Amino acid sequence: MSKDILERLKAGEPIRVNDPEYSKINEIVETTLKLSRKLNNSETTSEVRELLSKITDNAIDESTTVFPPFYTNFGKFISIGKNVFINHACSFLDMGGITIEDEVLIGPKVNLITENHPLDPEDRRALVTKPILIKKRAWIGAGATILPGVTVGENSVIAAGAVVSKDVPDHTVVGGIPAKIIKTIS
């Protein structure tokens, strides 16, 4: 028996718009768009947590704070730990899966992108995904972009504006485009 489209999506298999199960993705996206509009008009952090819990199908802990606006195209593959802070105007494209462990700080306008497309122009509309993992106590600076398949190590810092295309070791500061190791944290 073949895998469900959501299993194939999370496994990183190419998903094409003519896939017979593609409507399942569209249904989730439509629901997420509706809930996102409400979330981005919320007046309290508890209301944001409640709506983000609905978007992700996972309870967002009371110790976590997310400032709107917050953008996601899918939402179901986002997992957020305890004592996490996500600042204004972050964008999470999560069809490949985004895991944020406890005590992570995410600055404003950070982009976490798990989705990509093939280089072949004939197949460019296909969707190819890889997960992002942000480990405990990492700090992602303002305007940083983390690309598909990246793991950010425990206690690491991503400098503002960095574009991270490779894994970041634990206890490391990276910055630049593409991000490179600047120093280690002792």
Side-chain angles (χ1 to χ4, degrees):
M1 185 172 182
S2 67
K3 291 189 275 185
D4 173 76
I5 192 167
L6 300 181
E7 292 171 353
R8 292 183 283 129
L9 183 65
K10 205 160 184 188
E13 295 178 22
I15 304 295
R16 292 170 180 83
V17 292
N18 63 352
D19 188 293
E21 292 188 303
Y22 204 87
S23 63
K24 288 182 181 180
I25 292 172
N26 287 334
E27 287 171 20
I28 292 170
V29 168
E30 292 296 321
T31 300
T32 298
L33 289 173
K34 289 175 189 168
L35 289 169
S36 292
R37 275 191 291 282
K38 291 178 183 177
L39 182 150
N40 288 326
N41 288 307
S42 296
E43 295 182 4
T44 65
T45 54
S46 60
E47 189 179 357
V48 170
R49 276 191 296 276
E50 178 186 326
L51 288 162
L52 191 53
S53 295
K54 289 180 182 178
I55 289 169
T56 63
D57 273 343
N58 291 299
I60 304 299
D61 192 80
E62 288 184 16
S63 64
T64 289
T65 300
V66 179
F67 284 168
F70 175 83
Y71 305 103
T72 183
N73 61 335
F74 195 68
K76 298 296 181 212
F77 293 162
I78 296 173
S79 174
I80 300 173
K82 295 179 181 177
N83 293 311
V84 171
F85 177 77
I86 301 172
N87 214 322
H88 299 280
C90 290
S91 184
F92 291 13
L93 302 185
D94 67 294
M95 288 186 188
I98 294 173
T99 301
I100 299 170
E101 293 184 350
D102 297 343
E103 299 180 26
V104 169
L105 300 174
I106 299 180
K109 298 184 179 179
V110 166
N111 300 298
L112 303 182
I113 313 296
T114 67
E115 302 159 20
N116 207 348
H117 303 278
L119 290 176
D120 178 0
E122 298 300 316
D123 199 28
R124 182 112 352 118
R125 290 189 49 91
L127 190 59
V128 181
T129 65
K130 292 182 184 175
I132 289 174
L133 170 60
I134 312 293
K135 291 187 175 180
K136 292 179 182 175
R137 292 180 301 282
W139 173 20
I140 314 299
T145 297
I146 299 175
L147 297 175
V150 169
T151 294
V152 175
E154 194 169 311
N155 296 313
S156 290
V157 177
I158 309 301
V163 176
V164 184
S165 59
K166 295 183 179 165
D167 289 352
V168 176
D170 293 348
H171 313 286
T172 304
V173 178
V174 301
I177 303 172
K180 294 184 177 14
I181 294 174
I182 296 171
K183 65 180 181 178
T184 56
I185 302 168
S186 42

Coordinates of all heavy atoms in Angstrom, one line a residue, residues 137-186:
R137 N 17.9 26.2 23.4 CA 18.5 27.4 23.7 C 19.3 28.1 22.6 O 20.2 28.9 22.8 CB 19.5 27.3 24.9 CG 18.7 27.0 26.2 CD 19.7 26.8 27.4 NE 20.6 25.7 27.3 CZ 20.3 24.4 27.5 NH1 19.1 24.1 27.8 NH2 21.2 23.5 27.3
A138 N 18.9 27.7 21.3 CA 19.5 28.4 20.2 C 18.9 29.8 20.1 O 17.8 30.0 20.6 CB 19.2 27.6 18.9
W139 N 19.6 30.7 19.5 CA 19.1 32.1 19.3 C 19.2 32.4 17.8 O 20.3 32.4 17.3 CB 19.9 33.1 20.1 CG 19.6 34.5 19.9 CD1 18.5 35.1 19.4 CD2 20.5 35.6 20.3 NE1 18.7 36.5 19.4 CE2 19.9 36.8 20.0 CE3 21.7 35.6 20.9 CZ2 20.4 38.0 20.2 CZ3 22.3 36.9 21.2 CH2 21.7 38.1 20.8
I140 N 18.1 32.7 17.1 CA 18.1 33.0 15.7 C 17.9 34.6 15.6 O 16.9 35.1 16.0 CB 17.0 32.3 15.0 CG1 16.9 30.8 15.4 CG2 17.1 32.5 13.5 CD1 18.1 30.0 15.1
G141 N 18.9 35.3 15.1 CA 18.9 36.7 15.0 C 17.9 37.2 13.9 O 17.5 36.5 13.0
A142 N 17.6 38.5 14.1 CA 16.6 39.2 13.2 C 16.9 39.0 11.7 O 18.1 39.1 11.3 CB 16.5 40.7 13.5
G143 N 15.9 38.7 10.9 CA 16.1 38.6 9.5 C 16.9 37.4 9.0 O 17.1 37.3 7.8
A144 N 17.2 36.5 9.8 CA 18.0 35.3 9.4 C 17.0 34.4 8.6 O 15.8 34.3 8.8 CB 18.5 34.5 10.6
T145 N 17.6 33.6 7.7 CA 16.9 32.6 6.9 C 17.6 31.3 7.1 O 18.8 31.2 6.8 CB 16.8 33.0 5.4 OG1 16.1 34.2 5.2 CG2 16.1 31.9 4.5
I146 N 16.8 30.3 7.4 CA 17.3 28.9 7.6 C 16.6 28.1 6.5 O 15.4 28.0 6.4 CB 17.0 28.4 9.0 CG1 17.8 29.3 10.0 CG2 17.5 26.9 9.1 CD1 17.5 29.0 11.4
L147 N 17.5 27.4 5.7 CA 17.0 26.7 4.5 C 16.7 25.2 4.8 O 17.1 24.7 5.9 CB 18.0 26.8 3.4 CG 18.2 28.3 3.0 CD1 19.4 28.4 1.9 CD2 17.0 28.9 2.4
P148 N 16.1 24.5 3.9 CA 15.7 23.1 4.1 C 16.8 22.2 4.5 O 17.9 22.3 4.0 CB 15.2 22.7 2.7 CG 14.7 23.9 2.0 CD 15.7 25.0 2.5
G149 N 16.5 21.3 5.5 CA 17.4 20.3 5.9 C 18.4 20.7 7.0 O 19.2 19.9 7.4
V150 N 18.3 21.9 7.5 CA 19.3 22.4 8.4 C 19.0 22.1 9.9 O 17.8 22.2 10.3 CB 19.5 24.0 8.3 CG1 20.3 24.6 9.4 CG2 20.1 24.3 6.9
T151 N 20.0 21.7 10.7 CA 19.9 21.6 12.1 C 20.7 22.7 12.7 O 21.9 22.8 12.4 CB 20.4 20.2 12.6 OG1 19.5 19.2 12.1 CG2 20.4 20.1 14.1
V152 N 20.1 23.4 13.6 CA 20.8 24.5 14.4 C 21.1 23.9 15.7 O 20.2 23.5 16.5 CB 20.0 25.8 14.5 CG1 20.8 26.8 15.4 CG2 19.8 26.4 13.1
G153 N 22.4 23.8 16.1 CA 22.8 23.1 17.3 C 22.4 23.8 18.6 O 22.1 25.0 18.6
E154 N 22.5 23.1 19.7 CA 22.1 23.5 21.0 C 23.0 24.7 21.4 O 24.2 24.7 21.1 CB 22.3 22.4 22.0 CG 21.7 22.6 23.3 CD 21.7 21.3 24.2 OE1 21.2 20.3 23.7 OE2 22.1 21.4 25.3
N155 N 22.4 25.8 22.0 CA 23.1 27.0 22.4 C 23.7 27.8 21.3 O 24.5 28.7 21.6 CB 24.1 26.7 23.5 CG 23.5 26.1 24.7 OD1 22.5 26.6 25.3 ND2 24.1 25.0 25.2
S156 N 23.5 27.5 20.1 CA 24.1 28.2 19.0 C 23.4 29.5 18.7 O 22.2 29.7 19.1 CB 24.1 27.3 17.7 OG 25.0 26.3 17.9
V157 N 24.1 30.4 18.0 CA 23.6 31.7 17.7 C 23.7 31.9 16.1 O 24.8 31.7 15.6 CB 24.3 32.9 18.4 CG1 23.8 34.2 17.9 CG2 24.2 32.7 19.9
I158 N 22.6 32.3 15.5 CA 22.6 32.7 14.1 C 22.6 34.2 14.1 O 21.6 34.8 14.5 CB 21.4 32.1 13.4 CG1 21.2 30.6 13.6 CG2 21.4 32.4 11.9 CD1 22.4 29.7 13.2
A159 N 23.6 34.8 13.5 CA 23.6 36.3 13.4 C 22.5 36.8 12.6 O 22.0 36.2 11.6 CB 25.0 36.7 12.8
A160 N 22.1 38.1 12.9 CA 21.1 38.8 12.1 C 21.4 38.8 10.6 O 22.6 39.0 10.2 CB 20.9 40.2 12.6
G161 N 20.4 38.5 9.8 CA 20.6 38.5 8.3 C 21.3 37.3 7.7 O 21.4 37.3 6.5
A162 N 21.7 36.4 8.5 CA 22.5 35.2 8.0 C 21.5 34.3 7.1 O 20.3 34.3 7.4 CB 23.0 34.4 9.1
V163 N 22.1 33.7 6.1 CA 21.4 32.7 5.4 C 22.1 31.3 5.7 O 23.3 31.1 5.3 CB 21.4 33.0 3.9 CG1 20.8 31.8 3.1 CG2 20.7 34.3 3.6
V164 N 21.4 30.4 6.3 CA 22.0 29.2 6.8 C 21.6 28.0 5.9 O 20.4 27.7 5.9 CB 21.6 28.9 8.3 CG1 22.3 27.7 8.8 CG2 21.9 30.1 9.2
S165 N 22.6 27.5 5.2 CA 22.3 26.4 4.3 C 22.9 25.1 4.7 O 22.7 24.0 4.1 CB 22.8 26.8 2.9 OG 24.2 27.0 2.9
K166 N 23.7 25.1 5.8 CA 24.3 23.9 6.3 C 24.1 23.8 7.8 O 23.9 24.8 8.5 CB 25.8 23.9 6.0 CG 26.1 23.8 4.5 CD 27.6 23.8 4.2 CE 27.7 23.7 2.7 NZ 29.1 24.0 2.3
D167 N 24.2 22.6 8.4 CA 24.1 22.4 9.8 C 25.0 23.3 10.6 O 26.2 23.5 10.2 CB 24.3 20.9 10.2 CG 23.2 20.0 9.7 OD1 22.1 20.5 9.2 OD2 23.4 18.8 9.8
V168 N 24.5 23.7 11.8 CA 25.3 24.5 12.7 C 25.6 23.7 13.9 O 24.7 23.2 14.6 CB 24.5 25.8 13.1 CG1 25.3 26.6 14.1 CG2 24.1 26.6 11.9
P169 N 26.9 23.5 14.2 CA 27.3 22.7 15.4 C 26.8 23.3 16.7 O 26.5 24.5 16.8 CB 28.8 22.6 15.4 CG 29.2 23.1 14.0 CD 28.1 23.9 13.5
D170 N 26.7 22.5 17.8 CA 26.3 23.1 19.1 C 27.3 24.1 19.5 O 28.5 24.1 19.1 CB 26.4 21.9 20.1 CG 25.3 20.9 19.9 OD1 24.4 21.1 19.2 OD2 25.4 19.8 20.6
H171 N 26.9 25.1 20.3 CA 27.8 26.1 20.9 C 28.6 26.9 19.9 O 29.8 27.1 20.1 CB 28.7 25.4 21.9 CG 28.0 24.5 22.9 ND1 27.2 24.9 23.9 CD2 28.0 23.1 22.9 CE1 26.7 23.9 24.5 NE2 27.2 22.8 23.9
T172 N 27.9 27.3 18.8 CA 28.6 28.0 17.7 C 27.9 29.2 17.3 O 26.6 29.3 17.3 CB 28.7 27.0 16.5 OG1 29.3 25.8 16.9 CG2 29.5 27.6 15.4
V173 N 28.6 30.3 16.9 CA 28.0 31.5 16.3 C 28.3 31.5 14.8 O 29.5 31.3 14.4 CB 28.6 32.8 16.9 CG1 28.0 34.0 16.3 CG2 28.4 32.8 18.4
V174 N 27.3 31.6 14.0 CA 27.5 31.7 12.5 C 26.8 33.0 12.0 O 25.9 33.5 12.6 CB 26.9 30.5 11.8 CG1 27.5 29.1 12.3 CG2 25.3 30.4 11.9
G175 N 27.4 33.4 10.9 CA 26.8 34.6 10.3 C 27.3 34.7 8.8 O 28.2 34.0 8.4
G176 N 26.6 35.6 8.1 CA 27.0 35.8 6.7 C 26.1 35.1 5.7 O 25.1 34.4 6.1
I177 N 26.4 35.3 4.4 CA 25.7 34.7 3.3 C 26.7 34.1 2.4 O 27.4 34.8 1.7 CB 24.8 35.7 2.6 CG1 23.8 36.4 3.5 CG2 24.0 35.1 1.4 CD1 23.1 37.6 2.9
P178 N 26.8 32.8 2.3 CA 26.1 31.8 3.2 C 26.8 31.9 4.6 O 27.9 32.3 4.7 CB 26.4 30.5 2.5 CG 27.7 30.6 1.8 CD 27.7 32.1 1.3
A179 N 26.0 31.4 5.6 CA 26.5 31.5 7.0 C 27.8 30.6 7.1 O 27.8 29.5 6.6 CB 25.4 31.1 7.9
K180 N 28.7 31.2 7.9 CA 30.0 30.5 8.2 C 30.2 30.6 9.7 O 29.7 31.6 10.3 CB 31.1 31.1 7.4 CG 31.0 30.8 5.9 CD 32.3 31.4 5.2 CE 32.4 31.1 3.8 NZ 31.2 30.7 3.0
I181 N 31.0 29.7 10.3 CA 31.3 29.8 11.7 C 32.1 31.0 12.0 O 33.2 31.2 11.3 CB 32.0 28.5 12.1 CG1 31.1 27.3 12.0 CG2 32.5 28.6 13.6 CD1 31.7 25.9 12.3
I182 N 31.7 31.8 12.9 CA 32.4 33.0 13.4 C 33.2 32.7 14.6 O 34.4 33.1 14.7 CB 31.4 34.1 13.7 CG1 30.7 34.6 12.4 CG2 32.1 35.3 14.3 CD1 29.6 35.5 12.6
K183 N 32.6 32.0 15.6 CA 33.3 31.5 16.8 C 32.5 30.5 17.5 O 31.4 30.2 17.2 CB 33.6 32.7 17.7 CG 32.4 33.4 18.3 CD 32.8 34.5 19.2 CE 31.6 35.2 19.9 NZ 32.1 36.2 20.8
T184 N 33.2 29.9 18.5 CA 32.5 28.9 19.3 C 32.2 29.6 20.7 O 32.9 30.5 21.1 CB 33.3 27.6 19.6 OG1 34.6 28.0 20.1 CG2 33.5 26.9 18.3
I185 N 31.2 29.1 21.3 CA 30.8 29.6 22.6 C 31.3 28.6 23.7 O 30.9 27.4 23.6 CB 29.2 29.7 22.7 CG1 28.7 30.6 21.6 CG2 28.8 30.2 24.1 CD1 27.2 30.6 21.4
S186 N 32.1 29.1 24.6 CA 32.6 28.2 25.6 C 31.7 28.1 26.8 O 30.8 28.7 27.0 CB 34.0 28.6 26.1 OG 34.1 30.0 26.3

